[in-house]
Amino acid sequence: SCPPRCVCASTILSCSQAALSMVPSPLPRFAALLDLSHNNVTRLRADWAPACLPHLHTLLLSHNGLSFVSTEAFTHVPHLRHLDLSSNRLRTLEENLFSDLAELEVLLLYNNEISTVDRTAFENLSCLRKLYLGQNRISRFPLELLRDGTRLPQLALLDLSANRLRSLPVGELQALPAWLRDRLYLHGNPLLCDCPLFQLVARGRYRHLSSVLDFQEELRCVLPTTQTAVGILALANQQSLNCSEVKEAVLEGHLGDTVTLACDTRLQGVRSWHWVTPGGEKVVEEGGNGSAALLANGGLRLQDLRPEDAGTYSCWVGGPVLNETLYVELLVHNFTLHGPHDTLNTAYTTLVGCILSVVLVLIYLYLTPCRCCCCRGAEKPPPPRDDSINYSVLSTTPNH
């Protein structure tokens, strides 16, 4: 039952380098791994697998000159977990192209000619963990793949290296969890130099993220003035940009505020964690005691901030293989920012007092009783000038 020019070994079906121009047929139903790499299969139609292959979990189609993949090409392989379409000539990823692969975990698309990625191309890939899109022609960062973690909830690696990205959504990337930024590869792109980009990469080096430490030499950008490529981490010494030094994990609060310190670990599968306050108190139980409370996601919530709450907090994380300790510096300002019981500082009180004094003087000087001719008869004769010393000082003349 093994197809011609192929080698069958148990559930493995190897047809690599067999000069095939189409997928051999029929394919045995017991096949679990199908290797069609290094052939001439340029089009993958919907009928390449006329019958369901219930055991197939790996499909290798690299180095085929593949330029077309039908949106129904994976209907008969619903249990596929590893798909290799690398080193081909794919230019676009069509709508719902991989939506039939609900169990797919690894998708290799690097070294193609992809410039357009439909927003729904990776729909329904709830199990996808690794997505390789490096060495293509992508010019727009596909942020929808990462935002909110709803499209690809299990994604742990995204390779966008060696594409045509000119800018990055730095603010939204910085908000991603560290375990995802640890495997977000962006080196080899013609990025434009600016300080937010430097801050993103420098924080990655500070946190020992693999995507930064392993590719420091290839993380480069183009200076807007000279159009020359320089290392992103060298922007701290560029006088034209004057980027400030990185301050990692510094949080500010005011008296009486409630703040949450994030334990942004780069480890996945965390089993345990605890916090240590600046005073040496260990918070290990969810709910905590006093003003410090350990949250279910590993964060630490502090209520009713006091001046003595300021300092450096450490979060100890125990992963399945390694451990990690994070440090968060908390600054507490000695005045409140919001609320009905806020105190006013001296400068503000003085300013208000001066304004009220000026208003009262103006009211006294200009809002005097009516001096019209019809009212003069009703006026009482003024008392003698020597009745009161105060009167001689405070009374106004008719000219006023």
Side-chain angles (χ1 to χ4, degrees):
S1 57
C2 192
R5 291 185 285 181
C6 297
V7 176
C8 295
S10 183
T11 60
I12 298 177
L13 180 59
S14 177
C15 305
S16 179
Q17 299 182 356
L20 299 174
S21 59
M22 58 185 302
V23 180
S25 181
L27 293 172
R29 287 176 53 86
F30 59 79
L33 186 152
L34 176 58
D35 185 1
L36 294 168
S37 61
H38 296 276
N39 282 289
N40 299 312
V41 183
T42 59
R43 302 177 68 84
L44 191 65
R45 302 180 182 275
D47 58 352
W48 72 272
C52 182
L53 299 176
H55 304 291
L56 190 67
H57 60 73
T58 302
L59 176 60
L60 309 178
L61 280 164
S62 63
H63 297 279
N64 269 281
L66 193 65
S67 60
F68 171 78
V69 178
S70 171
T71 55
E72 300 177 354
F74 307 109
T75 303
H76 291 156
V77 286
H79 303 297
L80 208 62
R81 298 196 303 271
H82 186 106
L83 176 60
D84 186 358
L85 297 174
S86 63
S87 299
N88 283 294
R89 296 179 181 174
L90 297 175
R91 295 185 177 182
T92 61
L93 299 182
E94 301 292 342
E95 178 182 1
N96 296 316
L97 181 59
F98 306 106
S99 60
D100 291 326
L101 302 176
E103 300 179 15
L104 191 65
E105 298 178 4
V106 179
L107 177 57
L108 289 80
L109 291 165
Y110 63 86
N111 195 26
N112 275 277
E113 302 173 5
I114 300 172
S115 60
T116 305
V117 180
D118 189 271
R119 292 180 179 272
T120 63
F122 305 102
E123 202 74 39
N124 199 35
L125 298 184
S126 58
C127 296
L128 189 66
R129 295 184 52 82
K130 299 180 180 180
L131 175 58
Y132 295 86
L133 287 167
Q135 301 185 43
N136 278 286
R137 301 176 182 177
I138 300 173
S139 59
R140 184 191 67 85
F141 187 89
L143 188 61
E144 63 274 5
L145 300 181
L146 305 175
R147 183 183 289 120
D148 302 330
T150 56
R151 182 72 59 89
L152 301 175
Q154 301 295 326
L155 189 65
L157 184 151
L158 176 59
D159 180 15
L160 289 168
S161 61
N163 275 278
R164 298 181 179 180
L165 299 175
R166 300 281 289 174
S167 62
L168 298 176
V170 174
E172 300 195 54
L173 293 182
Q174 189 60 51
L176 295 175
W179 59 264
L180 182 53
R181 286 184 284 124
D182 188 46
R183 295 292 188 270
L184 177 59
Y185 297 99
L186 299 168
H187 57 276
N189 281 283
L191 298 168
L192 294 177
C193 297
D194 56 22
C195 289
L197 177 63
F198 165 73
Q199 296 283 340
L200 177 68
V201 177
R203 286 192 176 95
R205 181 178 61 176
Y206 183 91
R207 292 295 311 278
H208 302 285
L209 300 184
S210 301
S211 57
V212 176
L213 293 182
D214 296 342
F215 297 95
Q216 289 190 55
E217 299 298 326
E218 299 180 53
L219 282 167
R220 304 177 68 82
C221 62
V222 180
L223 287 172
T225 54
T226 61
Q227 297 299 313
T228 57
V230 297
I232 296 178
L233 293 173
L235 293 180
N237 301 323
Q238 287 289 333
Q239 296 182 354
S240 58
L241 294 178
N242 194 23
C243 297
S244 59
E245 292 294 333
V246 175
K247 293 183 178 180
E248 177 65 18
V250 176
L251 189 63
E252 297 186 17
H254 301 81
L255 293 180
D257 284 355
T258 298
V259 298
T260 300
L261 311 182
C263 191
D264 190 21
T265 177
R266 59 189 175 94
L267 304 178
Q268 283 187 282
V270 175
R271 299 174 180 175
S272 61
W273 52 73
H274 67 262
W275 285 84
V276 178
T277 65
E281 180 183 359
K282 192 174 181 180
V283 184
V284 296
E285 297 181 359
E286 186 173 344
N289 48 15
S291 60
L294 183 65
L295 303 179
N297 60 0
L300 181 68
R301 185 175 60 201
L302 302 174
Q303 298 178 341
D304 297 328
L305 286 183
R306 303 164 298 172
E308 54 268 27
D309 291 330
T312 301
Y313 292 76
S314 58
C315 177
W316 183 90
V317 181
V321 179
L322 301 174
N323 298 330
E324 185 181 18
T325 302
L326 309 176
Y327 300 95
V328 180
E329 183 181 355
L330 177 63
L331 304 178
V332 180
H333 299 289
N334 59 355
F335 59 89
T336 57
L337 185 63
H338 301 289
H341 304 291
D342 290 348
T343 58
L344 300 176
N345 56 42
T346 305
Y348 182 73
T349 306
T350 305
L351 178 62
V352 172
C354 292
I355 294 176
L356 289 177
S357 300
V358 172
V359 172
L360 290 176
V361 170
L362 292 176
I363 291 175
Y364 179 78
L365 292 177
Y366 293 99
L367 297 183
T368 57
C370 178
R371 296 187 179 86
C372 58
C373 58
C374 61
C375 299
R376 290 186 181 275
E379 292 180 355
K380 294 182 179 181
R385 292 182 179 271
D386 55 356
D387 286 350
S388 173
I389 298 177
N390 294 332
Y391 178 82
S392 64
V393 176
L394 299 177
S395 62
T396 59
T397 62
N399 292 334
H400 293 125

PDB file of all heavy atoms in Angstrom, residues 325-339:
ATOM      1  N   THR A 325      13.221  35.858  39.924  1.00  0.00           N
ATOM      2  CA  THR A 325      12.895  36.875  40.914  1.00  0.00           C
ATOM      3  C   THR A 325      12.791  38.231  40.217  1.00  0.00           C
ATOM      4  O   THR A 325      13.709  38.638  39.501  1.00  0.00           O
ATOM      5  CB  THR A 325      13.960  36.947  42.016  1.00  0.00           C
ATOM      6  OG1 THR A 325      14.080  35.658  42.634  1.00  0.00           O
ATOM      7  CG2 THR A 325      13.560  37.966  43.074  1.00  0.00           C
ATOM      8  N   LEU A 326      11.664  38.900  40.412  1.00  0.00           N
ATOM      9  CA  LEU A 326      11.410  40.203  39.806  1.00  0.00           C
ATOM     10  C   LEU A 326      11.399  41.269  40.890  1.00  0.00           C
ATOM     11  O   LEU A 326      11.010  40.998  42.033  1.00  0.00           O
ATOM     12  CB  LEU A 326      10.071  40.205  39.055  1.00  0.00           C
ATOM     13  CG  LEU A 326       9.858  39.071  38.053  1.00  0.00           C
ATOM     14  CD1 LEU A 326       8.466  39.154  37.472  1.00  0.00           C
ATOM     15  CD2 LEU A 326      10.888  39.136  36.952  1.00  0.00           C
ATOM     16  N   TYR A 327      11.789  42.478  40.513  1.00  0.00           N
ATOM     17  CA  TYR A 327      11.835  43.592  41.460  1.00  0.00           C
ATOM     18  C   TYR A 327      11.004  44.748  40.923  1.00  0.00           C
ATOM     19  O   TYR A 327      11.116  45.115  39.746  1.00  0.00           O
ATOM     20  CB  TYR A 327      13.284  44.040  41.692  1.00  0.00           C
ATOM     21  CG  TYR A 327      14.161  42.952  42.260  1.00  0.00           C
ATOM     22  CD1 TYR A 327      14.947  42.160  41.430  1.00  0.00           C
ATOM     23  CD2 TYR A 327      14.185  42.703  43.628  1.00  0.00           C
ATOM     24  CE1 TYR A 327      15.738  41.153  41.939  1.00  0.00           C
ATOM     25  CE2 TYR A 327      14.993  41.690  44.151  1.00  0.00           C
ATOM     26  CZ  TYR A 327      15.759  40.922  43.300  1.00  0.00           C
ATOM     27  OH  TYR A 327      16.535  39.927  43.822  1.00  0.00           O
ATOM     28  N   VAL A 328      10.172  45.316  41.789  1.00  0.00           N
ATOM     29  CA  VAL A 328       9.323  46.450  41.442  1.00  0.00           C
ATOM     30  C   VAL A 328       9.548  47.539  42.478  1.00  0.00           C
ATOM     31  O   VAL A 328       9.401  47.295  43.689  1.00  0.00           O
ATOM     32  CB  VAL A 328       7.827  46.065  41.395  1.00  0.00           C
ATOM     33  CG1 VAL A 328       6.974  47.271  41.033  1.00  0.00           C
ATOM     34  CG2 VAL A 328       7.607  44.931  40.404  1.00  0.00           C
ATOM     35  N   GLU A 329       9.911  48.736  42.017  1.00  0.00           N
ATOM     36  CA  GLU A 329      10.128  49.864  42.913  1.00  0.00           C
ATOM     37  C   GLU A 329       8.860  50.709  42.990  1.00  0.00           C
ATOM     38  O   GLU A 329       8.309  51.100  41.961  1.00  0.00           O
ATOM     39  CB  GLU A 329      11.292  50.728  42.426  1.00  0.00           C
ATOM     40  CG  GLU A 329      11.607  51.886  43.359  1.00  0.00           C
ATOM     41  CD  GLU A 329      12.751  52.746  42.858  1.00  0.00           C
ATOM     42  OE1 GLU A 329      13.355  52.375  41.825  1.00  0.00           O
ATOM     43  OE2 GLU A 329      13.044  53.774  43.485  1.00  0.00           O
ATOM     44  N   LEU A 330       8.395  50.973  44.201  1.00  0.00           N
ATOM     45  CA  LEU A 330       7.182  51.760  44.423  1.00  0.00           C
ATOM     46  C   LEU A 330       7.548  53.106  45.041  1.00  0.00           C
ATOM     47  O   LEU A 330       8.237  53.165  46.069  1.00  0.00           O
ATOM     48  CB  LEU A 330       6.215  51.010  45.340  1.00  0.00           C
ATOM     49  CG  LEU A 330       4.933  51.756  45.725  1.00  0.00           C
ATOM     50  CD1 LEU A 330       4.085  52.051  44.497  1.00  0.00           C
ATOM     51  CD2 LEU A 330       4.130  50.955  46.745  1.00  0.00           C
ATOM     52  N   LEU A 331       7.083  54.179  44.407  1.00  0.00           N
ATOM     53  CA  LEU A 331       7.272  55.535  44.925  1.00  0.00           C
ATOM     54  C   LEU A 331       5.937  56.040  45.445  1.00  0.00           C
ATOM     55  O   LEU A 331       4.926  55.984  44.726  1.00  0.00           O
ATOM     56  CB  LEU A 331       7.793  56.463  43.819  1.00  0.00           C
ATOM     57  CG  LEU A 331       9.088  56.033  43.104  1.00  0.00           C
ATOM     58  CD1 LEU A 331       9.434  57.022  42.007  1.00  0.00           C
ATOM     59  CD2 LEU A 331      10.229  55.899  44.094  1.00  0.00           C
ATOM     60  N   VAL A 332       5.901  56.510  46.676  1.00  0.00           N
ATOM     61  CA  VAL A 332       4.669  57.018  47.302  1.00  0.00           C
ATOM     62  C   VAL A 332       4.843  58.512  47.553  1.00  0.00           C
ATOM     63  O   VAL A 332       5.715  58.918  48.334  1.00  0.00           O
ATOM     64  CB  VAL A 332       4.354  56.278  48.618  1.00  0.00           C
ATOM     65  CG1 VAL A 332       3.081  56.841  49.233  1.00  0.00           C
ATOM     66  CG2 VAL A 332       4.205  54.784  48.358  1.00  0.00           C
ATOM     67  N   HIS A 333       4.032  59.321  46.881  1.00  0.00           N
ATOM     68  CA  HIS A 333       4.079  60.768  47.077  1.00  0.00           C
ATOM     69  C   HIS A 333       3.303  61.136  48.345  1.00  0.00           C
ATOM     70  O   HIS A 333       2.229  60.577  48.609  1.00  0.00           O
ATOM     71  CB  HIS A 333       3.500  61.487  45.867  1.00  0.00           C
ATOM     72  CG  HIS A 333       4.255  61.200  44.593  1.00  0.00           C
ATOM     73  ND1 HIS A 333       5.512  61.677  44.346  1.00  0.00           N
ATOM     74  CD2 HIS A 333       3.916  60.445  43.510  1.00  0.00           C
ATOM     75  CE1 HIS A 333       5.927  61.253  43.159  1.00  0.00           C
ATOM     76  NE2 HIS A 333       4.966  60.494  42.625  1.00  0.00           N
ATOM     77  N   ASN A 334       3.833  62.087  49.083  1.00  0.00           N
ATOM     78  CA  ASN A 334       3.273  62.400  50.399  1.00  0.00           C
ATOM     79  C   ASN A 334       2.128  63.391  50.336  1.00  0.00           C
ATOM     80  O   ASN A 334       1.980  64.261  51.180  1.00  0.00           O
ATOM     81  CB  ASN A 334       4.369  62.936  51.328  1.00  0.00           C
ATOM     82  CG  ASN A 334       5.019  64.191  50.761  1.00  0.00           C
ATOM     83  OD1 ASN A 334       4.716  64.590  49.637  1.00  0.00           O
ATOM     84  ND2 ASN A 334       5.900  64.794  51.525  1.00  0.00           N
ATOM     85  N   PHE A 335       1.282  63.306  49.312  1.00  0.00           N
ATOM     86  CA  PHE A 335       0.032  64.068  49.256  1.00  0.00           C
ATOM     87  C   PHE A 335      -0.957  63.267  48.435  1.00  0.00           C
ATOM     88  O   PHE A 335      -0.584  62.445  47.604  1.00  0.00           O
ATOM     89  CB  PHE A 335       0.228  65.461  48.649  1.00  0.00           C
ATOM     90  CG  PHE A 335       0.769  65.448  47.244  1.00  0.00           C
ATOM     91  CD1 PHE A 335      -0.080  65.387  46.145  1.00  0.00           C
ATOM     92  CD2 PHE A 335       2.142  65.481  47.023  1.00  0.00           C
ATOM     93  CE1 PHE A 335       0.421  65.385  44.868  1.00  0.00           C
ATOM     94  CE2 PHE A 335       2.651  65.484  45.741  1.00  0.00           C
ATOM     95  CZ  PHE A 335       1.788  65.435  44.653  1.00  0.00           C
ATOM     96  N   THR A 336      -2.234  63.498  48.694  1.00  0.00           N
ATOM     97  CA  THR A 336      -3.281  62.770  47.989  1.00  0.00           C
ATOM     98  C   THR A 336      -3.556  63.439  46.659  1.00  0.00           C
ATOM     99  O   THR A 336      -3.338  64.624  46.474  1.00  0.00           O
ATOM    100  CB  THR A 336      -4.563  62.712  48.816  1.00  0.00           C
ATOM    101  OG1 THR A 336      -4.969  64.053  49.120  1.00  0.00           O
ATOM    102  CG2 THR A 336      -4.344  61.949  50.103  1.00  0.00           C
ATOM    103  N   LEU A 337      -4.069  62.632  45.721  1.00  0.00           N
ATOM    104  CA  LEU A 337      -4.316  63.145  44.384  1.00  0.00           C
ATOM    105  C   LEU A 337      -5.787  63.339  44.099  1.00  0.00           C
ATOM    106  O   LEU A 337      -6.183  64.270  43.429  1.00  0.00           O
ATOM    107  CB  LEU A 337      -3.725  62.179  43.346  1.00  0.00           C
ATOM    108  CG  LEU A 337      -3.783  62.605  41.889  1.00  0.00           C
ATOM    109  CD1 LEU A 337      -2.963  63.878  41.699  1.00  0.00           C
ATOM    110  CD2 LEU A 337      -3.253  61.509  40.984  1.00  0.00           C
ATOM    111  N   HIS A 338      -6.648  62.476  44.639  1.00  0.00           N
ATOM    112  CA  HIS A 338      -8.087  62.554  44.387  1.00  0.00           C
ATOM    113  C   HIS A 338      -8.825  62.315  45.697  1.00  0.00           C
ATOM    114  O   HIS A 338      -8.278  61.835  46.664  1.00  0.00           O
ATOM    115  CB  HIS A 338      -8.518  61.507  43.344  1.00  0.00           C
ATOM    116  CG  HIS A 338      -7.812  61.665  42.036  1.00  0.00           C
ATOM    117  ND1 HIS A 338      -8.044  62.696  41.165  1.00  0.00           N
ATOM    118  CD2 HIS A 338      -6.834  60.904  41.469  1.00  0.00           C
ATOM    119  CE1 HIS A 338      -7.263  62.577  40.115  1.00  0.00           C
ATOM    120  NE2 HIS A 338      -6.525  61.492  40.277  1.00  0.00           N
ATOM    121  N   GLY A 339     -10.104  62.632  45.691  1.00  0.00           N
ATOM    122  CA  GLY A 339     -10.945  62.316  46.837  1.00  0.00           C
ATOM    123  C   GLY A 339     -11.422  63.551  47.547  1.00  0.00           C
ATOM    124  O   GLY A 339     -10.844  64.637  47.451  1.00  0.00           O
TER     125      GLY A 339
END
